Structures are given as C-alpha cells and as structure tokens.
Amino acid sequence: MSDETMKHREVRFPRAVKRGAVLLGLVVLALAVALSTTGCGSKKKSSSTTTAAAGKCQLQVFSWWTGGGEAAGLAKLITDWNTDPSLGGGSPGCPFKNETVAGGAGSNAKAVLAQRLVAKKPPDSFQGHAGKELLDYIKAGQIEPINFIYKSAGFEKVMAPQLVKQITYKGNLYSVPVNIHRANVLWFNPSVLKKAGITIAAGSPLTWNQFIADLNAVKAKDPGVTPLSLGEAWTQKHLLETVMIGVLGADGWNSLFAKGADWNSAKVTEALNRFKTLLTYTNSDASSLTWQDAGKLVVDGKAAFNVMGDWQEGYFGGKVKAGNLGMKSGVDYSWTAAADTNGIFDWLSDSFTLPKGAPHRDAAVKWLTFLGSLKAQDTFNPVKGSIPARQDANPALYDTYLQWSLKQWKADQLACSLTHGCAASNAWNADVDTALGQFMQSKDVAAFQKALVAAAAKNA
Ligand code: GAL
C-alpha cells in the first residue's frame, strides 16, 4: 500500500482540527474555482479539492505497479512524461503524481479505487484490464468514451484488433491498452532441473504427465527444494486458471464465461483434481508470499518451477538498479508454456482510462495519447516484460522471451484471463476468490466445483 494511502487510513484528527480543515477546504475550494480559468487540466474539473490542495496541476495516475519490472516500466513512462515538454507533462505542464497501491494483480488497488470512484474522487487515469473488468467501470458510468483520442491519434489502425474488441462497448472505446501479457508461463531453474535429470528447452511443449514426472523427480532428488513455488491468493487463482485451460483448451475455457455454461462438467472436475494434485508440490508458506517472492525462490535455486505471467520476465531479467534481479535468461532461469497449454496464449492487457470527473482532464487526454504512442509502448514493454498492444512495434527492442511471446501472440489460440480481468467481472472474480479460499483449506473438490457453478449462475 502506498505511503499516501497508509496516511489517509491511519491519521485521526481531533474535532477542532477537523472543523478548521473544513473551513480551510472551503477557502481552498473557492480559490480553485477562481483559478479554474487559468489552471491546467479541464476547466470544469479543476475545482476538485485535490487540485486545490496541490495548488498546481499534477497528473494523478493510479496503478498497482510498485515492484520489479512493473515499477521500472512505469518509471520509464514517468521520466518521459516529466521531461519531454511535447507530451504535455513536465514542468510547467502537469507533472506526474504516482498514485500506486501495492499488491500484485491489483489485489489491494482495486478496492481502494472502487472507494475513490464511489466517493467521486477519481484519479486522472487508472489502470484497468481490458475485457470484463473494464466493462464494470463502463456500466457503472465511471469512465468516459475516448473515441476522439483514437481518432486523433490513429490508434484504431495500429492496435491489435482482438484487443480493440475487448475495450469497445456499444461502439465506443474506453481505454488505451499499453501492453499484452501472457499468463500461462512456466518459469524454471535449468540448474535445479539438471540436477534432477531434467532438461526442458525454452518454449518447448510440456504435457501434464511429463510435468508431474518432473515435479516428482525434483522432489526425489532434494526434498529441500520446492518443486513448484506458489504465492498469495491471487497467484493461486492464476495457477488454477492455467491448469483449467490445459484441460479445457482455449475454446472450452472461453465458453465457460458465457451464460448457461457447464461448470459442472467432468472436464472441470478433472481440472480441479489436477490443481489439487499440484498443491501437494508447493511451499507451505504460499499465502504469505508475493509473486516476486515466489518467483525468486526459483532463481535462488530454492524451487524448480513457478507458474506466473510474464511480468516475471521483467523481474527476473531486468536491471538490479531498477529493483529487479538482473538474471540471465536461458542460464539463471528459463520458460515454456504451462503444461498442456502449448499453442494457447492466456492473455490479458493493461489499459488506462479517462475517469468521469478526472481532476485534470486535459492532461489525462494527453497522457492517454502518449501511452498509445509507439515511443511509449516500445519504451515501457521491454522493461515491463510484456509485448506491445500496437502491431507496429520494433521486435529488435525485445529480449528472447518477449520475441517468443510476440510470435506466439500471432500464432496461438487466445484464452481470456480470469485472474486478470479479461473473462469475468470483479464481482464474479470475488466469488471465485471466496470459493478458492475455502478450497485451499478444505481441499474438497466437489464443494469447490459446486461453489464455482453457483458463482457462474450468479454472475454470468
Ligand atoms: C496483472 C497486471 C500486470 C502485473 C501483474 C502483477 O494483473 O495486469 O501488469 O502488474 O498483475 O502485479
């Protein structure tokens, strides 16, 4: 959680101070209204208390990118924004205000964002996954259509068409995608595998049976090594999703999110049983580990495998001075598609929005225009560990893993990620989270499947 959020939560003011603050707030608000014709950002929005308190334009961008390649990628965008006057940021323009809330996959951020949106205190732009997650904000009337940005910047012609479909609702576009991530990646430590007599070539297909045999071989070789590292709750759902896709295939998986889909099927049961089996190879402290912690176990040689999205690539391979591990791909770590998912790209995309009532709307429009530019996408993605949403990016700027991903994105069948907002709404995800949390305690497959059936019936 950001320092700022912590402060908001923890500080308690005495009543007299509160009264004083209210008075001061009114004065500041009046001043802000008076200044609104000269200030930066949207004239009609600049009476917001945030603008008034800051006394100057600050582009408030909300995300959960606080660690590893996430933070490093965002830092690159911030530097460009703050130093290139042609973009509209910087000083005396509208410098960046980083409103991140820590917690992978937005596990804390989404709740904080929801509170801000309900309280009508939106940031200038926030991160939202392409697909059903975005639809939540659209249906709640919390974000503006931005067709005008697409038109003026020519984005519709350059963005991947599958993606444009996921951010369009009733003919309107609602966000600018910055990237495409692959969720179904199996990361591994080649030296640990070698000791257990296993070799897996980067990007080569791995069947479920082979994977189980490999996990057993690691276990037999050294009981001190965790065969499959796992982290906190959302990473468990992430693992479950890749296992389900392995059993159901891309079409079978995608169709689970349509009305009336059969979550009671034998295939779903088989997938849940496989997931249960995998849990027997994982670390017992999973719930207290972040995705970075679980990944680091692999590069440290304390675990053999980890299933995680390719933000892990940014963390493993990125520069140490940027908060990453500086490891060598193919030597210190390697990757392939999660078991039985070769040829399937379990995808998600981070996109940024224009909230209704954005305090500095004009600056936010410029920010979104910048995000969709070739420069921003080719600067951000090689560091973040993702491929660009634009189709005209320069592959030479991307590392070995990302070049593989670029090719797979074009060749593979696409499966829409559940954990990362593509396939289902936040509400549906929350019901799956509850069911999964109970399953992690009970390990009762039948009860888990029943709860998933109920979640689908309620939310589809
Ligand atoms: C995903 C997000 C990625 C990455 C990951 C871990 O939901 O789309 O950009 O940040 O969470 O935090």
Side-chain angles (χ1 to χ4, degrees), residues 219-404:
K219 202 173 174 176
K221 180 71 198 166
D222 184 352
V225 171
T226 298
L228 177 65
S229 70
L230 189 62
E232 59 189 313
W234 72 265
T235 74
Q236 298 157 13
K237 184 166 62 170
H238 184 114
L239 176 65
L240 169 68
E241 155 174 344
T242 64
V243 173
M244 291 185 72
I245 293 171
V247 175
L248 291 145
D251 290 345
W253 166 259
N254 290 333
S255 63
L256 276 183
F257 299 92
K259 236 186 179 30
D262 186 9
W263 281 80
N264 224 350
S265 72
K267 287 214 162 186
V268 172
T269 316
E270 186 189 342
L272 300 185
N273 278 314
R274 281 190 178 189
F275 178 62
K276 184 176 170 178
T277 302
L278 280 190
L279 293 178
T280 64
Y281 296 96
T282 58
N283 40 305
S284 55
D285 60 350
S287 58
S288 64
L289 302 189
T290 64
W291 64 267
Q292 291 101 324
D293 296 333
K296 194 164 181 298
L297 290 175
V298 172
V299 294
D300 286 348
K302 293 179 180 157
F305 295 98
N306 172 246
V307 172
M308 190 36 60
D310 46 13
W311 40 94
Q312 202 70 280
E313 172 68 14
Y315 179 51
F316 284 172
K319 293 202 174 83
V320 174
K321 67 171 194 263
N324 297 300
L325 300 178
M327 296 286 149
K328 218 173 153 28
S329 165
V331 178
D332 301 314
Y333 70 93
S334 190
W335 79 89
T336 195
D340 280 354
T341 69
N342 184 53
I344 301 176
F345 198 117
D346 178 15
W347 75 279
L348 59 124
S349 168
D350 294 306
S351 71
F352 280 81
T353 58
L354 181 61
K356 282 191 184 155
H360 314 99
R361 186 177 179 281
D362 294 351
V365 168
K366 288 181 184 152
W367 160 250
L368 293 172
T369 307
F370 166 53
L371 284 185
S373 70
L374 189 57
K375 179 177 192 253
Q377 302 231 335
D378 272 350
T379 306
F380 171 75
N381 286 302
V383 179
K384 175 73 164 71
S386 40
I387 59 171
R390 289 180 70 114
Q391 295 179 297
D392 55 352
N394 178 5
L397 298 171
Y398 294 79
D399 68 15
T400 321
Y401 165 78
L402 291 170
Q403 292 200 4
W404 176 75

Side-chain angles (χ1 to χ4, degrees), residues 31-79:
L31 247 178
V33 172
L35 288 173
S36 66
T37 48
T38 54
C40 61
S42 156
K43 287 173 186 170
K44 70 175 191 276
K45 314 290 173 192
S46 59
S47 61
S48 104
T49 45
T50 318
T51 311
K56 61 182 165 74
C57 187
Q58 285 189 304
L59 179 77
Q60 303 164 28
V61 177
F62 187 95
S63 78
W64 56 85
W65 290 340
T66 57
E70 305 180 340
L74 180 59
K76 290 256 176 207
L77 294 174
I78 297 175
T79 304

